[in-house]
């Protein structure tokens, strides 16, 4: 029956050595996919969303070790640092908004994280802070904005993003608002794209946040830029990509130096102090890439250290992720094309996963040593009861 499991022990006829296998039956509506491996390596486990509202954890051999069926598309499914499961069950009728669910691995609901101040939570990211609070984005809609200088209405409604730190009980204890710090001119080329053809104008389209100490890294698709923010003052420390401002970093070593990002996603602080980004290259008729930069704040400089691509991934119109793993390996979710790949430090493919239908907004790796097959199996057993 679906969800039921069995352990199988086998040995060759006449031999003494045995091997143990674990089998669990998939549901009848479990989505089809294709997995191929070229070389050893890759993350031990990683989270993806799949069609039919499935959240799935696969191991490095492409085996679905764990799955959970959500009430909507389980956007940005991930394991938080406290061992809980977070995802946003997306309702396709909403405009990129929805409440995040925090669950135990056995599916038990612990809490719902909503946007504060009557602002709807944005589906694109959630992070757990060391003090137990959650960092999310909430959409801030403002009316009577003059966008006529950019081809828009002189009485427009625009959507900005308010980054909020929220307690488990739902209280907003800190906030930072893009509408107060980023001007309409920084939307630049996106004013001429279909994404901003109708009101409300999605002028920034935020898609990732990460805090490190008093600082925060933000990615905005419709600004083609990544920002570092001082959480203490709210000031922009530096900007990478997009339009030139007084906070813009000079870029070295990047062949796309004039336009380093095209609708990028998933900007992260890497453990070694560098910055990683999934660069979609949206609007440039170019293949996506996973990139890593060294930032020299004193000199106001960013230097491209690495760029990873895949010949079988010609485009990525939206979404995507790029995670630097131990040993300088990569896990890359290539966005709206349904492809996910792992790569070694030289950019050589370790494995590729292709979804038969749909795509996964991100592929979220599990840090080594934080999750085991046994723990995932126990959670599946509890859900099957």
């Amino acid at each position: 029956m679906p969800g039921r499991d069995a352990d199988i022990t086998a040995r060759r006829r006449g031999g003494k050595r045995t091997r143990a296998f674990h089998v669990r039956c998939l549901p009848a509506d479990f989505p089809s996919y294709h997995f191929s491996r070229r070389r050893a390596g890759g993350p031990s486990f990683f989270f993806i969303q799949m069609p039919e509202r499935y959240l799935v954890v696969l191991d490095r051999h492409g085996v679905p070790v764990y799955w959970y069926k959500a009430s909507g598309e389980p956007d940005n499914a991930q394991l938080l640092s406290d061992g809980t499961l977070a995802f946003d069950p997306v309702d396709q009728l909403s405009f990129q908004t929805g409440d995040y669910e925090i669950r135990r691995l056995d599916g038990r609901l612990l809490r719902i994280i909503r946007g504060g101040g009557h602002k709807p939570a944005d589906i694109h990211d959630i992070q757990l802070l060391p003090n137990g609070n959650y960092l999310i984005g909430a959409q801030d809609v403002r009316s009577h904005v003059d966008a006529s200088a950019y081809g828009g209405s002189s009485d427009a409604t625009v959507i900005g993003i308010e980054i909020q730190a929220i307690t488990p009980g739902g209280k907003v204890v800190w906030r930072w608002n893009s509408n107060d710090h980023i001007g309409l001119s920084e939307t630049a080329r996106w004013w001429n794209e279909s994404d901003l053809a109708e009101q409300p104008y999605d002028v920034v389209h935020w898609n990732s946040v990460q805090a490190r100490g008093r600082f925060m890294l933000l990615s905005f698709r419709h600004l083609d830029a990544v920002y570092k923010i001082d959480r203490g003052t709210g000031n922009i420390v530096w900007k990478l990509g997009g339009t030139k401002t007084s906070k813009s970093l000079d870029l070295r070593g990047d062949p796309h130096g004039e336009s380093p990002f095209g609708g990028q996603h998933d900007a992260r602080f890497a453990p070694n102090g560098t910055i990683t980004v999934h660069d979609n290259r949206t609007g440039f008729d170019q293949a996506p890439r996973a990139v890593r930069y060294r930032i020299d704040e004193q000199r106001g400089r960013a230097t491209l250290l690495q760029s990873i691509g895949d010949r079988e991934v010609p485009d990525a119109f939206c979404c995507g992720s790029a995670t630097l793993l131990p040993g300088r390996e990569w896990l890359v979710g290539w966005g709206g094309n349904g492809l996910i790949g792992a790569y070694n430090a030289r950019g050589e493919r370790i494995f590729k996963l292709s979804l038969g239908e749909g795509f996964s907004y991100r592929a979220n790796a599990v840090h080594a040593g934080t999750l085991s097959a046994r723990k995932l199996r126990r959670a599946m057993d509890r859900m099957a009861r």
Side-chain angles (χ1 to χ4, degrees), residues 210 212 217 228 238 268-276 292-297 301 303 305 324:
Q210 187 182 12
R212 175 168 290 181
L217 197 64
K228 183 179 178 181
W238 51 253
R268 304 295 177 192
F269 294 111
N272 60 10
T274 57
I275 302 296
T276 62
R292 184 166 64 92
Y293 296 92
R294 181 177 61 244
I295 307 297
D296 186 337
E297 292 187 359
R301 180 184 301 170
T303 302
L305 299 178
L324 185 65

Side-chain angles (χ1 to χ4, degrees), residues 174-177 181 214 229-237:
W174 179 89
R175 50 169 54 91
W176 181 92
N177 199 305
H181 294 273
R214 64 176 289 168
I229 308 297
D230 186 323
R231 290 201 292 160
T233 64
N235 294 332
I236 296 171
V237 179

Side-chain angles (χ1 to χ4, degrees), residues 113-310:
I113 301 299
R114 299 180 173 89
H118 305 289
K119 296 178 175 65
D122 190 286
I123 66 175
H124 286 94
D125 205 0
I126 185 171
Q127 298 288 314
L128 180 63
L129 297 172
N131 63 5
N133 293 336
Y134 296 90
L135 202 58
I136 68 165
Q139 291 194 359
D140 179 45
V141 181
R142 297 192 180 183
S143 303
H144 310 302
V145 175
D146 186 359
S148 58
Y150 314 102
S153 169
S154 60
D155 186 20
T157 300
V158 302
I159 301 175
I161 201 75
E162 183 171 275
I163 305 300
Q164 300 179 343
I166 297 183
T167 68
K171 181 181 179 181
V172 178
V173 293
W174 179 89
R175 50 169 54 91
W176 181 92
N177 199 305
S178 68
N179 283 321
D180 298 332
H181 294 273
I182 298 174
L184 296 179
S185 63
E186 295 191 54
T187 303
R189 69 183 180 98
W190 287 91
W191 282 111
N192 298 317
E193 298 293 330
S194 59
D195 300 63
L196 276 76
E198 299 180 357
Q199 296 190 51
Y201 299 137
D202 187 11
V203 293
V204 296
H205 195 100
W206 164 83
N207 55 45
S208 75
V209 60
Q210 187 182 12
R212 175 168 290 181
R214 64 176 289 168
F215 298 103
M216 177 174 65
L217 197 64
L218 300 173
S219 170
F220 296 99
R221 180 178 190 256
H222 289 171
L223 304 178
D224 292 327
V226 171
Y227 295 74
K228 183 179 178 181
I229 308 297
D230 186 323
R231 290 201 292 160
T233 64
N235 294 332
I236 296 171
V237 179
W238 51 253
K239 176 183 180 181
L240 179 58
T243 59
K244 289 290 185 181
T245 73
S246 62
K247 299 296 183 180
S248 292
L249 297 171
D250 291 332
L251 192 56
R252 304 293 177 91
D254 193 329
H256 301 304
E258 292 300 317
S259 300
F261 300 138
Q264 82 295 326
H265 288 72
D266 203 40
R268 304 295 177 192
F269 294 111
N272 60 10
T274 57
I275 302 296
T276 62
V277 184
H278 180 274
D279 179 17
N280 296 65
R281 307 305 299 158
T282 303
F284 294 125
D285 194 27
Q286 296 168 344
R289 57 182 188 160
V291 288
R292 184 166 64 92
Y293 296 92
R294 181 177 61 244
I295 307 297
D296 186 337
E297 292 187 359
Q298 290 186 338
R299 297 182 178 181
R301 180 184 301 170
T303 302
L304 179 67
L305 299 178
Q306 192 174 14
S307 177
I308 298 291
D310 193 313

